[in-house]
Amino acid sequence: MPRYLSLVKVEEKAAAQGPSPELMQRMGELIEEMTKAGVMLDTAGLTPTSEGTRVHWEDGRLSVTDGPFTEAKEVIGGYSIVQCKDRAEAIEWTKRFLKVHEDHWTVTCEVREIAEG
């Protein structure tokens, strides 16, 4: 079965406040359901961009920039790797993940199949 990576994009300022205990509970319940269904392979949140570093290659030169990255409004706040029968199933699980968030959150997930071999 194909594997899919879901990149969770959030507005960093809003995410800095952190998820509510209720959101964490709903997310935990969904992750447990996905794990029991054999869909969830891995998932995690990421630290803020202020704790990150960008390594860039251009014109034969490397540059290294420590965060925060001021030009970034929307950042990758986490990820999940799921194994589903097809892209449609991966998207359905992603929709369920988005729906556990409160209305004041702005969250986008980019779902992409992991290239095998």
Side-chain angles (χ1 to χ4, degrees), residues 4 27 80 106:
Y4 296 87
M27 196 175 302
S80 67
T106 300

PDB file of all heavy atoms in Angstrom, residues 4 27 80 106:
ATOM      1  N   TYR A   4       1.804   8.085   2.421  1.00  0.00           N
ATOM      2  CA  TYR A   4       1.583   9.498   2.138  1.00  0.00           C
ATOM      3  C   TYR A   4       2.148  10.331   3.280  1.00  0.00           C
ATOM      4  O   TYR A   4       2.023   9.975   4.451  1.00  0.00           O
ATOM      5  CB  TYR A   4       0.092   9.799   1.978  1.00  0.00           C
ATOM      6  CG  TYR A   4      -0.514   9.092   0.797  1.00  0.00           C
ATOM      7  CD1 TYR A   4      -1.002   7.794   0.911  1.00  0.00           C
ATOM      8  CD2 TYR A   4      -0.570   9.702  -0.452  1.00  0.00           C
ATOM      9  CE1 TYR A   4      -1.530   7.129  -0.182  1.00  0.00           C
ATOM     10  CE2 TYR A   4      -1.099   9.043  -1.550  1.00  0.00           C
ATOM     11  CZ  TYR A   4      -1.574   7.755  -1.405  1.00  0.00           C
ATOM     12  OH  TYR A   4      -2.092   7.094  -2.491  1.00  0.00           O
ATOM     13  N   MET A  27      -7.221  15.216  19.229  1.00  0.00           N
ATOM     14  CA  MET A  27      -6.155  14.767  18.339  1.00  0.00           C
ATOM     15  C   MET A  27      -5.626  13.407  18.794  1.00  0.00           C
ATOM     16  O   MET A  27      -5.394  12.515  17.975  1.00  0.00           O
ATOM     17  CB  MET A  27      -5.029  15.805  18.307  1.00  0.00           C
ATOM     18  CG  MET A  27      -4.089  15.626  17.150  1.00  0.00           C
ATOM     19  SD  MET A  27      -2.841  16.926  17.038  1.00  0.00           S
ATOM     20  CE  MET A  27      -3.815  18.400  16.921  1.00  0.00           C
ATOM     21  N   SER A  80       2.606  13.992   9.351  1.00  0.00           N
ATOM     22  CA  SER A  80       2.229  12.606   9.623  1.00  0.00           C
ATOM     23  C   SER A  80       2.571  11.788   8.389  1.00  0.00           C
ATOM     24  O   SER A  80       2.608  12.307   7.266  1.00  0.00           O
ATOM     25  CB  SER A  80       0.738  12.480   9.961  1.00  0.00           C
ATOM     26  OG  SER A  80      -0.056  12.783   8.839  1.00  0.00           O
ATOM     27  N   THR A 106      -6.098  28.259  11.715  1.00  0.00           N
ATOM     28  CA  THR A 106      -5.964  28.178  10.265  1.00  0.00           C
ATOM     29  C   THR A 106      -4.892  27.132   9.997  1.00  0.00           C
ATOM     30  O   THR A 106      -3.726  27.341  10.333  1.00  0.00           O
ATOM     31  CB  THR A 106      -5.550  29.534   9.656  1.00  0.00           C
ATOM     32  OG1 THR A 106      -6.556  30.500   9.977  1.00  0.00           O
ATOM     33  CG2 THR A 106      -5.396  29.428   8.150  1.00  0.00           C
TER      34      THR A 106
END
